Amino acid sequence: MTMEATRYADGSISYPSHPVGPDGSEPVETVDLSEYTATVVTWTTSTATPPGVRAPNHLAIVEFDVDGEPVRALGQLTTDEVDIGDEVRPVYVEELREPGAGIREPASQAWDGYRFEPVQ
């Protein structure tokens, strides 16, 4: 499983991917962010979570450096033992939330994805 971002003709990278880049340029390649580490920009803990999401839910905005191009992502953390500036890596998980909890059409949702884990 990849954590796919898109690089555009102007050199910018977007996560999640978009069909058109910031300046209207076309995608030229994909980048697998799961091969990189990132830095925690900020994080928080949510105790009022949607149905099926673990509580408390630790979330972070992280920034990857891909060949000098910054790429930010929002995602769950594996722990609350992090600080701003810490290095984290994406870790694949099969279920980010409980399938079917509060969802009328569970088959219409993707339940897998990435959490961010501190690099030791």
Side-chain angles (χ1 to χ4, degrees):
M1 175 58 118
T2 62
M3 186 177 180
E4 192 170 283
T6 300
R7 186 185 313 263
Y8 301 94
D10 69 354
S12 64
I13 301 173
S14 174
Y15 179 81
S17 298
H18 298 280
V20 179
D23 71 347
S25 62
E26 296 287 320
V28 294
E29 69 176 326
T30 59
V31 176
D32 183 1
L33 295 177
S34 69
E35 297 176 359
Y36 293 83
T37 60
T39 302
V40 175
V41 175
T42 189
W43 71 280
T44 190
T45 297
S46 172
T47 55
T49 61
V53 175
R54 65 187 180 156
N57 188 24
H58 312 295
L59 301 165
I61 295 174
V62 301
E63 185 171 277
F64 294 89
D65 180 339
V66 180
D67 304 324
E69 186 68 30
V71 183
R72 287 193 175 185
L74 168 67
Q76 294 179 343
L77 292 163
T78 60
T79 179
D80 66 348
E81 299 292 321
V82 295
D83 286 313
I84 292 170
D86 283 357
E87 186 179 9
V88 294
R89 69 172 163 254
V91 177
Y92 176 76
V93 293
E94 290 188 15
E95 292 182 357
L96 289 174
R97 57 188 284 186
E98 180 187 336
I103 305 292
R104 291 187 185 171
E105 300 293 331
S108 71
Q109 302 289 312
W111 303 101
D112 64 336
Y114 285 87
R115 288 189 177 124
F116 299 110
E117 172 181 80
V119 173
Q120 301 300 332

